[in-house]
Amino acid sequence: VNRDTVEGLKLYIQRVFIMDAAEQLLPRYLRFMRGVVDSADLPLNVSREILQDSPLLNKIRATVTKRSLALIDKVTQKGGDEWEQFWKAFGGILKEGVIEDHENREDIAQLLRFSSSASDEMTGLDQYIERMPDGQEDVWYLTAENLHVAKNSPHLESFKKKGIEVLLLTDRIDEWVVSHLH
């Protein structure tokens, strides 16, 4: 999904169509979401300028964002083919949220998945932390251009000997994402 593509949610007020591709209703990193928002609380004689400054619209945006993240979390918890298809299509876009949305950064971080030196399955940060040996306080990661290069990196040798799992980051955005996670 192109970052500049104008799609997304449609805004209705009391079942009257107001706006297509309502950018004010969702952050850019959720641009793959589609749907309809119908509000009875906004006035019908609304202009785009009024919508931009509306506290009610900010509340709607926060609610739609939370619900979208909860829906994605359901897919993540369920796993399986549905999750794999979702992650392949939108995982890179979702990673942008860690950088752009400070308010929901922790919720988004829980949804992220990375390759790991300890498993062929994608792993989340929570699972990585659960598997950390006693005494390990840092999350270790290795960036590479692809998974094959990362798994065969000589830098992993010493970590394997010590039994330390290393996250293998292969997306271009991963280094940027990691710099925003604390």
Side-chain angles (χ1 to χ4, degrees):
V1 178
N2 187 337
R3 189 166 171 79
D4 298 324
T5 302
V6 182
E7 291 182 17
L9 300 179
K10 297 176 187 327
L11 177 62
Y12 285 75
I13 298 177
Q14 300 171 14
R15 296 189 185 129
V16 175
F17 177 72
I18 301 298
M19 189 184 325
D20 200 9
E23 296 171 10
Q24 296 90 347
L25 296 178
L26 271 178
R28 276 185 151 335
Y29 69 90
L30 291 174
R31 61 186 171 272
F32 53 83
M33 298 297 285
R34 303 289 180 262
V36 173
V37 174
D38 188 4
S39 173
D41 299 329
L42 289 167
L44 271 172
N45 60 347
V46 71
S47 68
R48 290 181 189 254
E49 291 79 27
I50 292 172
L51 277 178
Q52 288 177 346
D53 297 330
S54 170
L56 185 57
L57 197 66
N58 292 337
K59 186 174 181 179
I60 291 172
R61 177 186 170 108
T63 302
V64 170
T65 301
K66 290 278 186 200
R67 285 191 182 172
S68 297
L69 292 174
L71 212 127
I72 294 168
D73 186 44
K74 271 187 183 177
V75 173
T76 303
Q77 297 301 324
K78 197 175 185 182
D81 290 338
E82 186 179 340
W83 175 83
E84 284 183 32
Q85 289 174 352
F86 171 82
W87 187 256
K88 283 179 186 173
F90 306 117
I93 297 170
L94 191 60
K95 289 176 182 181
E96 295 172 14
V98 171
I99 299 158
E100 295 175 0
D101 190 351
H102 305 288
E103 196 173 301
N104 295 305
R105 181 177 288 157
E106 287 185 28
D107 294 335
I108 299 165
Q110 290 180 359
L111 301 173
L112 301 182
R113 297 294 180 261
F114 303 98
S115 297
S116 166
S117 63
S119 171
D120 290 332
E121 301 278 323
M122 298 286 278
T123 188
L125 294 173
D126 289 343
Q127 291 92 5
Y128 176 90
I129 292 170
E130 285 175 14
R131 292 190 299 257
M132 284 175 34
D134 291 337
Q136 180 182 339
E137 294 182 16
D138 299 319
V139 173
W140 292 96
Y141 63 92
L142 173 74
T143 58
E145 62 187 61
N146 62 46
L147 192 56
H148 177 73
V149 171
K151 284 189 173 190
N152 293 312
S153 172
H155 299 291
L156 286 179
E157 302 281 325
S158 63
F159 289 103
K160 286 179 182 177
K161 287 178 185 174
K162 294 177 184 176
I164 296 175
E165 181 178 6
V166 178
L167 296 177
L168 307 174
L169 310 181
T170 57
D171 286 344
R172 284 192 225 160
I173 194 170
D174 284 343
E175 280 187 73
W176 198 20
V177 168
V178 171
S179 70
H180 285 79
L181 292 173
H182 304 288

